[in-house]
Amino acid sequence: MQFCSFQNQSIHYQYLPGAGVRNFVFANSLGTDFRIWDEVVTRLLPHGSVLRFDKPGHGLSESGSGGGVEWYGQLVLALMDAHGIDRCVFVGLSIGGLMGQWLALRHPKRIEKLVLSNTAARIGELPYWIDRIATIKAGGIAPLADMILGRWLAPSFLQNNTATVAGMKRMLEGCALPGYVQACATLRDTDFSGQLQSISLPTLCIAGNADGAIPLADMETLAAVIPAASLRVLEGVGHIPCVEVPKIFADAVLDFVHSKLSV
Ligand SMILES: O=C(O)CC1=CCC(=O)O1
């Protein structure tokens, strides 16, 4: 188990040295911990090292006052620095994709290639996050868990993978409220609309057309606005493709990483 202290908060992370020259850094979605990348990581390790982490209040990270897209981005940079990672292939899912956009805009030299999975320049509307925060503060996560799983997972996956779904529900309900609420507040407050045309990095956008949280149109806009972006749409896949179709996800990342696309 690996932990570090970042701004007085205990952060759970994992650094796995890999065989290849690349460094893959993963950033999670709201309510999930870094285990969602397990099967993708197994496939990427022959190609490079892996760094992944739990946001405050998620997984084994402490649930303190840390949060905000810049705070999360600085945490990523600190973890990279601690492991001598100068540049990485950054793979961000949902709110993790917002961290990727922040890094690509503010610290582009630290990113070799960018993978934005199931994310957008702005995720959801302001009233949606205000309401989610108020409901969670009043009653906790459990009463919303089934609704959230319906946003996360495609209907066919929900129906056919009951053991995995039960495990993911426990992962979600295990989040500590302050950290979870901080992440919701980050989603409420972050909007990169109007800025993304200045991202100059090769970028792969991955969408699922059964995503219950991010409309496909938002991913299409993201891929259209970032100059060197391409879009891969996964048919019948929901918000967390690294869990639903890890082999397809890993292959998409590897094809992108090995492609000659550069700017
Ligand atoms: O929890 C959800 O509704 C899904 C989600 C939205 C942003 C994110 O990171 O996850």
Side-chain angles (χ1 to χ4, degrees), residues 103-220:
L103 287 161
L105 288 165
R106 307 284 185 271
H107 298 273
K109 290 195 168 61
R110 305 300 301 271
I111 312 277
E112 179 192 349
K113 289 190 174 186
L114 180 63
V115 180
L116 298 176
S117 173
N118 304 72
T119 190
R122 153 140 217 116
I123 299 178
E125 298 302 326
L126 192 65
Y128 181 84
W129 293 114
I130 291 172
D131 186 52
R132 170 95 64 108
I133 290 167
T135 310
I136 297 269
K137 278 184 173 169
I141 295 172
L144 296 187
D146 288 331
M147 179 279 289
I148 291 171
L149 284 164
R151 285 165 59 86
W152 283 4
L153 300 165
S156 59
F157 189 90
L158 274 169
Q159 210 173 355
N160 298 324
N161 298 275
T162 48
T164 304
V165 173
M168 291 186 75
K169 187 171 181 178
R170 281 198 300 282
M171 174 177 65
L172 170 64
E173 291 179 346
C175 290
L177 284 201
Y180 186 89
V181 167
Q182 270 289 349
C184 291
T186 303
L187 288 155
R188 179 195 64 199
D189 298 340
T190 305
D191 187 353
F192 291 117
S193 309
Q195 298 181 50
L196 302 183
Q197 55 276 23
S198 59
I199 292 182
S200 57
L201 296 163
T203 302
L204 171 66
C205 299
I206 300 179
N209 70 353
D211 188 332
I214 307 284
L216 184 55
D218 288 6
M219 292 278 339
E220 288 169 344

Side-chain angles (χ1 to χ4, degrees), residues 4-11 71-76 78-79:
C4 70
S5 178
F6 180 71
Q7 297 190 6
N8 296 320
Q9 259 177 262
S10 168
I11 299 293
W71 195 98
Y72 296 139
Q74 296 290 359
L75 169 61
V76 170
L79 286 169

